[in-house]
Amino acid sequence: MIRLHQSRILALFRAFDCFVILFMLWGVLNVVGVPLDNGYTFLGVLSIILFGFFAESNEVYYLWRGLSTPKLASRLLAAWAATALVTFTVALLVGLVKSVDHSAVLTWIAVTPVAMVFLHWARREFLSLYRGQRTQPRRVAVAGANRLGSRLVESMEGIPWMGYQVTGYYDDRAPAKDMARRLEGEEINVCGGFDQLFEDARDGKIDIIFVTLPMKAEDRIREMVDRLADTTASVYLIPDVFSFNLVHSRLTGIQGIPALSIYDTPLVDHGWSKRLEDVVLSLAILTLIAIPMLIIAAGVKLSSPGPVFFKQTRYGMRGEKIKVWKFRSMSVCEDGPDVPQAQKEDPRITPFGGFLRRTSLDELPQFFNVLGGTMSIVGPRPHAVAHNEFYRGQIQGYMLRHKVKPGITGLAQINGFRGETDTMDLMTGRIDYDLEYIRNWSLWLDLKIVWFTIFRGFVGQQAY
């Protein structure tokens, strides 16, 4: 069984952060001369519970060796901001807001994250100083002077608090253009071949060895590990998974068996939060656009014969077929196996429909799709089934965009890839942004895309 490495220091700070929340509340109340009554105790306990949840969601206490202090601070601040928002909402609902000192509570909300960030920074500085003063730092060797090994060394150089001292690379392969093989250059300090590695390890010159050979060198890795068993060095195997086009990759385990996802969805653990975001925003937006939608519906009906709404079959999450709603903008309602994209001066588009398409107003009924759960406000735009079947054979990883629900707007749309994609380059660019969105998904990213859609996403040169 392979056990997950746990940091007792981070476990200690998990408890310590909870203490800081209560201590800062008590301290602020003492400074302003307000007694700590049941109302403030309720706020403190509730905030501890919520912070534990949001800190876990933001992976604050994960063993991210190499995570920079600013990035750690951003995770802490995000967790505390969500904690403060929900705590305030609950206090408002139970009527507690009226009975507390507003200035004291706001001061507590402001100073608590500062104290937590400072303490985590101090922890890192102390560990860096302590480990740097060791009589014998941990001497590290990298078996494999390749791109993965170089990336590992750069990461270790950015975490001085770990106390690593990289002695160099060991590799007896000839330099090659293939980045998985040996690199060369002044920055690549190759101390010798693998025989020299065994000799230095037996002589006690190396404490830790990281093996970064490509996975196709399985036999050689096995031989190396067997020989290193005759030394006292600790050996770590770094699989070259970065050679794959990872999509929201995560490390997990099944009864001690490690498993690394290559293609995964970001909604495994956060589907409920995105669904809540969709329901809240779509209800709010539909309330605001109800009257404009009635006016548009009347315009569609009066400007040309046919139904007000047009429902077309598209691919949704997991490639399942869904019906996407739109205001009808054409004189036809095509939903067959071969649906050509709308083009400039397309004769099928009605005059009023052209205005709707240029301004994206024809997409407004898709908020009903969002409420129904077949779409999301933010996500890759759904393509017609005929287009999907064509491009999945032309663009590597095309179908990975269906790891999340299709959206009304998306990262591609706010970056100019909206409307007709009449060339392979345009479609490839759109897919690249779709996959980037899935890799980096967060609620904050969704809100940024919604915000930029207001200024960038409603009109475009390719929207016909």
Side-chain angles (χ1 to χ4, degrees), residues 33-44:
V34 177
L36 180 62
D37 59 20
N38 291 337
Y40 294 106
T41 302
F42 173 80
L43 291 180

Side-chain angles (χ1 to χ4, degrees), residues 78 277 437 440-451:
E277 171 197 39
Y437 167 77
N440 302 294
W441 176 83
S442 67
L443 291 179
W444 175 242
L445 178 59
D446 276 0
L447 295 177
K448 286 174 60 178
I449 292 173
V450 170
W451 174 257

Side-chain angles (χ1 to χ4, degrees), residues 288-348:
L288 294 174
I289 65 175
I291 295 178
M293 285 184 67
L294 289 174
I295 297 174
I296 293 172
V300 172
K301 194 66 178 176
L302 295 174
S303 62
S304 63
V308 171
F309 297 108
F310 166 53
K311 292 181 286 185
Q312 189 177 54
T313 302
R314 304 287 176 98
Y315 279 156
M317 191 172 180
R318 295 181 295 272
E320 299 172 351
K321 291 183 179 180
I322 63 173
K323 291 291 186 178
V324 175
W325 287 50
K326 301 178 72 173
F327 280 121
R328 181 177 57 82
S329 59
M330 293 186 175
S331 56
V332 296
C333 295
E334 298 173 318
D335 190 22
D338 185 16
V339 181
Q341 279 189 315
Q343 301 176 356
K344 191 173 184 179
E345 299 180 359
D346 195 313
R348 297 172 299 168

Side-chain angles (χ1 to χ4, degrees), residues 26-248:
W26 174 81
V28 168
L29 293 178
N30 271 271
V31 169
V32 299
V34 177
L36 180 62
D37 59 20
N38 291 337
Y40 294 106
T41 302
F42 173 80
L43 291 180
V45 173
L46 177 63
S47 64
I48 287 176
I49 296 172
L50 292 172
F51 183 76
F53 171 77
F54 288 115
E56 187 69 20
S57 298
N58 285 276
E59 301 174 340
V60 170
Y61 303 109
Y62 283 34
L63 193 60
W64 293 117
R65 290 178 170 174
L67 184 69
S68 66
T69 300
K71 288 183 178 180
L72 174 61
S74 68
R75 292 175 185 243
L76 279 166
L77 293 174
W80 179 250
T83 300
L85 179 62
V86 176
T87 300
F88 173 79
T89 303
V90 173
L92 189 64
L93 292 175
V94 299
L96 191 59
V97 172
K98 299 177 181 179
S99 61
V100 297
D101 187 300
H102 294 175
S103 61
V105 171
L106 290 176
T107 302
W108 168 58
I109 291 175
V111 300
T112 298
V114 176
M116 285 193 289
V117 170
F118 173 78
L119 289 172
H120 280 268
W121 169 82
R123 166 180 61 86
R124 290 189 164 196
E125 290 298 313
F126 172 78
L127 291 176
S128 178
L129 180 63
Y130 169 73
R131 289 167 175 164
Q133 289 181 345
R134 286 176 173 172
T135 56
Q136 184 66 40
R138 288 187 285 184
R139 296 159 298 180
V140 174
V142 178
N146 49 21
R147 179 175 55 183
L148 179 60
S150 176
R151 180 175 175 179
L152 177 65
V153 170
E154 290 178 2
S155 298
M156 287 189 288
E157 290 174 347
I159 49 175
W161 56 85
M162 294 304 301
Y164 289 149
Q165 180 185 13
V166 180
T167 60
Y169 301 89
Y170 290 83
D171 205 328
D172 54 13
R173 301 171 297 170
K177 294 182 180 180
D178 183 0
M179 298 297 282
R181 297 185 63 81
R182 177 176 166 179
L183 304 176
E184 60 179 343
E186 295 181 357
E187 70 281 1
I188 305 298
N189 176 29
V190 179
C191 301
F194 296 134
D195 288 335
Q196 184 66 47
L197 172 65
F198 304 137
E199 182 178 338
D200 289 348
R202 281 195 302 267
D203 292 342
K205 297 179 180 179
I206 302 172
D207 300 309
I208 302 175
I209 299 171
F210 289 96
V211 181
T212 62
L213 294 177
M215 288 186 288
K216 63 183 179 182
E218 178 184 355
D219 293 338
R220 195 165 198 191
I221 293 173
R222 188 184 304 276
E223 178 188 359
M224 178 185 298
V225 171
D226 288 342
R227 293 183 65 180
L228 289 173
D230 191 35
T231 74
T232 60
S234 299
V235 180
Y236 290 81
L237 177 62
I238 311 293
D240 190 12
V241 297
F242 300 102
S243 59
F244 300 104
N245 182 23
L246 303 178
V247 176
H248 209 82

